[in-house]
Amino acid sequence: MKYAVTGSTGNFGSALIESLLKKGVSPSSVRGIARNEEKAASLKERGVDVKIAGYEDRDALERAFEGVDKVLLVSGSEVGKRFDQHKNVIDAAGAAGVKQVIYTSITRAESSSNILAPEHKQTEEYLRKAGIDFVILRNNWYTENYVADVEYAGQSGVIATATGTGRVASASRKEYAEAAAVVLTGDGHSGKTYELAGTPWGYDDLASAASAVFSRTVVHKIVSPEERTAGLVAAGMDEGTAGFYTALDQSIAEGTLDIESGDLAHLLGREPRSLEETIRSLV
């Protein structure tokens, strides 16, 4: 069996390859698809079969997928371009004779008002109609997303957001990667959509976790969207990026990442780590 992982030098792709190797998959059975040969050098050194192909290069992708049985399509990072990139990957996989495409999506992609959801919804819809076997992994937020906020809170004592009382069902990137490796190397997942999530937590819980880690009082301060944007700009972020992060906060306030699901625990064979435990391992 030959497995291909796109975005293989990125945070999630590299974590997934690590999970595959830890499961005993031979490095030569893993094909890492990367944009940059230099960045992929460490994978080559470990015996991983590396092919160079960007998400925009349909022909290179098709060549890279030759002889591959299953492709793990790690969603792209370029918001606004991702659907076309994902379509290229799916089309190339089909043309190369790949048996199954596994895609990393977002929580409740078909109905979510999250600013990142539309391209995931488009990709899911396209994949379902592409004539190739598929599995969809709807990953909630990575707990790693909060490391900078927690570290800053260790000094300031405050985590300021426009998330209101919204909750997030995050888990660690490593746990999502472990679950993806289970699906990639296993059977019985065809056509399934998994809502992968940890235990939902609110930002007061994040502040409590930061308090425990730093042995000091940290509080969650709810601010308006305007205050949130202004604070991010004051910290050095440009207006467009600050507005984007504020929109993410607002989507969390709307409950887009608040979900209770046992799918991640089912695939892992254990409960995901708690928020505090994960934060302690990251900070």
Side-chain angles (χ1 to χ4, degrees):
M1 186 71 71
K2 189 82 168 186
Y3 309 105
V5 178
T6 71
S8 61
T9 60
N11 289 330
F12 186 82
S14 57
L16 174 54
I17 289 177
E18 190 66 35
S19 292
L20 289 171
L21 299 182
K22 284 185 176 179
K23 282 177 66 67
V25 176
S26 168
S28 62
S29 295
V30 180
R31 180 166 294 171
I33 312 299
R35 295 174 185 264
N36 186 293
E37 193 159 4
E38 185 177 347
K39 288 184 178 179
S42 60
L43 293 176
K44 276 190 174 182
E45 289 172 2
R46 300 184 69 180
V48 173
D49 177 18
V50 173
K51 299 293 182 184
I52 304 302
Y55 283 18
E56 302 86 356
D57 194 334
R58 167 71 166 71
D59 293 337
L61 286 166
E62 186 173 337
R63 291 192 297 271
F65 292 147
E66 289 178 1
V68 168
D69 297 290
K70 295 184 179 183
V71 170
L72 194 297
L73 168 52
V74 179
S75 55
S77 59
E78 298 176 86
V79 178
K81 299 180 180 180
R82 294 190 296 175
F83 172 64
D84 288 337
Q85 293 174 342
H86 299 162
K87 182 177 180 295
N88 275 340
V89 175
I90 294 165
D91 289 345
V98 170
K99 296 182 178 67
Q100 186 179 75
V101 173
I102 300 160
Y103 173 63
T104 63
S105 187
I106 193 173
T107 297
R108 299 193 195 94
E110 83 287 359
S111 61
S112 178
S113 62
N114 190 292
I115 192 173
L116 296 176
E119 288 177 297
H120 287 296
K121 179 182 178 182
Q122 281 182 288
T123 302
E124 287 191 14
E125 291 173 346
Y126 189 81
L127 183 55
R128 292 178 191 279
K129 298 175 182 178
I132 188 170
D133 191 35
F134 67 89
V135 186
I136 294 170
L137 306 178
R138 290 178 173 171
N139 292 349
N140 204 277
W141 248 219
Y142 300 140
T143 304
E144 285 86 346
N145 294 349
Y146 295 96
V147 169
D149 288 336
V150 169
E151 289 179 336
Y152 179 74
Q155 302 172 26
S156 68
V158 176
I159 296 175
T161 77
T163 57
T165 58
R167 300 196 304 171
V168 176
S170 73
S172 71
R173 184 181 289 112
K174 180 180 178 182
E175 288 172 318
Y176 290 125
E178 288 176 6
V182 169
V183 172
L184 189 58
T185 58
D187 298 316
H189 306 288
S190 176
K192 291 187 177 180
T193 297
Y194 291 106
E195 293 282 2
L196 303 183
T199 300
W201 51 264
Y203 282 73
D204 286 347
D205 298 316
L206 182 62
S208 294
S211 297
V213 168
F214 293 110
S215 299
R216 64 157 300 171
T217 300
V218 175
V219 298
H220 173 222
K221 180 182 179 182
I222 299 174
V223 299
S224 70
E226 294 76 18
E227 289 172 318
R228 176 64 163 152
T229 299
L232 292 171
V233 170
M237 196 174 284
D238 65 84
E239 286 275 0
T241 304
F244 174 78
Y245 278 99
T246 298
L248 288 178
D249 273 14
Q250 290 177 278
S251 75
I252 290 170
E254 294 167 2
T256 62
L257 297 177
D258 185 357
I259 187 171
E260 296 193 21
S261 170
D263 288 351
L264 181 57
H266 169 70
L267 292 174
L268 293 176
R270 59 174 174 79
E271 290 297 322
R273 291 187 299 175
S274 69
L275 175 64
E276 182 179 330
E277 185 180 3
T278 303
I279 289 295
R280 284 188 181 278
S281 73
L282 295 171
V283 174

